[in-house]
Amino acid sequence: MIIGSNLLRFDSIQSTNTKALMLIRNEDIPEGTVVFTGFQTAGRGQAGNTWESEKGKNLLLSIILYPESVSPENQFIISMTISLGISDLIDKYHPGCKIKWPNDIYLNDKKIAGILIENSISGSILKSSVAGIGLNINQVNFPPNIPNAGSLKQITGKEFDTEVLLKELLSELDKRYKLMLYGDRESIRREYISKLYRLNEWSRYRSAGSAFKGRITNISDEGHLIIENHGGKMMTFSFKEVDYLS
Ligand code: BT5
């Protein structure tokens, strides 16, 4: 076992990602170490966003990885790997979860998990990667400013044992991570694409201030989203360059 070989628990912490980054900086911390907490006082999302989670109800964790065989240009494979590990777990309890590019996990059109990956690159080497995961399990009320949040309990009607789910999640992630290290990365890519939210569906998007209709067809090698417009033109978007409209 790589992921979960060392589990550090905290009752309450600022952010598991921040703690994991500090541990990498200050200590000789083994690969696969998991920083886990029941509550974050300053949970982080992408680009200054926050992650809100009621105490003790959900899974909040960060995994420390040293994926040196992944080159910085291919770093999106880590996002794909982690996204698939989470969706493997969710599918066991309620099949049909989707990955909203780049790495939100959706079930029944609700966001039930978010991922924050923070990589440290030195020259041409990916030195470390912190994969932060917030997975909503037993929380049923979310703040009004995040109306699209959902949880496993909200969707299945059942209460879950978070300890059991933590163990299962780490085991699914470990399997996927080993596949990424020693197996077929192309199969990870293909599976990730097959699980994309809105894959091949004509839907509305917005980029650079204009709305357009298109359908997601693929992901580029760098992890950019490829959308075909009505004229058959393939457009490539990097993170934050495109919004999904309803
Ligand atoms: C993410 O960012 O979705 C990445 C979230 C990663 C959180 C984990 S928790 C453990 C680890 N330690 C951390 O500090 N972070 C990681 P982003 O795509 O930017 O989405 C953030 C947005 O999701 C917010 O602006 C809200 O709109 C929404 N949101 C906040 N809390 C949510 C929740 N519990 N469930 C669903 N959506 C939420």
Side-chain angles (χ1 to χ4, degrees):
M1 175 182 241
I2 303 173
I3 292 182
S5 50
N6 182 25
L7 181 57
L8 306 176
R9 289 174 185 269
F10 298 86
D11 272 353
S12 165
I13 203 174
Q14 263 193 332
S15 146
T16 56
N17 264 45
T18 306
K19 181 72 186 178
L21 291 169
M22 261 174 55
L23 289 170
I24 292 173
R25 216 173 309 124
N26 301 332
E27 292 177 33
D28 200 1
I29 193 96
E31 165 152 65
T33 296
V34 173
V35 178
F36 177 77
T37 192
F39 187 67
Q40 296 183 129
T41 54
R44 298 191 283 118
Q46 314 276 348
N49 291 338
T50 58
W51 188 257
E52 311 289 340
S53 178
E54 271 176 24
K55 194 174 180 118
K57 298 251 167 111
N58 306 313
L59 295 183
L60 302 166
L61 61 145
S62 299
I63 304 157
I64 294 172
L65 302 168
Y66 303 113
E68 289 195 0
S69 68
V70 174
S71 60
E73 311 86 82
N74 294 325
Q75 57 186 282
F76 194 65
I77 191 75
I78 301 167
S79 281
M80 297 199 234
T81 303
I82 300 293
S83 301
L84 286 175
I86 300 171
S87 66
D88 289 341
L89 173 77
I90 295 165
D91 279 345
K92 274 170 64 177
Y93 292 96
H94 193 97
C97 81
K98 297 282 175 197
I99 303 166
K100 185 176 174 194
W101 176 87
N103 47 24
D104 286 345
I105 309 294
Y106 269 59
L107 190 58
N108 290 8
D109 277 319
K110 296 276 185 190
K111 176 167 171 175
I112 76 161
I115 303 169
L116 177 64
I117 299 202
E118 295 183 293
N119 291 331
S120 156
I121 291 164
S122 166
S124 59
I125 295 183
L126 210 167
K127 302 228 2 157
S128 66
S129 179
V130 169
I133 300 169
L135 171 55
N136 301 327
I137 307 288
N138 290 322
Q139 182 167 342
V140 285
N141 296 310
F142 291 91
N145 60 327
I146 38 176
N148 70 332
S151 68
L152 261 189
K153 180 174 179 183
Q154 228 180 34
I155 289 159
T156 62
K158 292 184 202 136
E159 181 89 14
F160 290 86
D161 182 334
T162 50
E163 281 300 313
V164 171
L165 287 198
L166 172 64
K167 283 208 184 74
E168 291 182 354
L169 175 64
L170 296 179
S171 150
E172 298 297 347
L173 289 166
D174 190 55
K175 276 190 231 157
R176 287 287 182 179
Y177 188 60
K178 285 178 182 150
L179 187 64
M180 187 202 88
L181 289 182
Y182 314 119
D184 175 13
R185 290 188 185 165
E186 190 48 36
S187 75
I188 294 182
R189 203 178 106 86
R190 272 200 307 273
E191 220 179 316
Y192 174 91
I193 292 170
S194 75
K195 291 194 78 88
L196 277 178
Y197 179 71
R198 289 190 180 177
L199 179 70
N200 288 324
E201 287 172 27
W202 288 101
S203 312
R204 296 176 66 244
Y205 298 91
R206 184 175 45 224
S207 180
S210 6
F212 65 97
K213 260 196 152 181
R215 59 174 182 169
I216 294 171
T217 60
N218 211 341
I219 298 288
S220 73
D221 287 345
E222 307 77 41
H224 296 165
L225 186 68
I226 302 178
I227 303 181
E228 179 186 1
N229 75 4
H230 260 313
K233 186 175 166 211
M234 298 294 177
M235 296 172 297
T236 303
F237 299 97
S238 59
F239 183 55
K240 293 278 176 209
E241 282 182 353
V242 63
D243 294 322
Y244 291 58
L245 301 177
S246 48

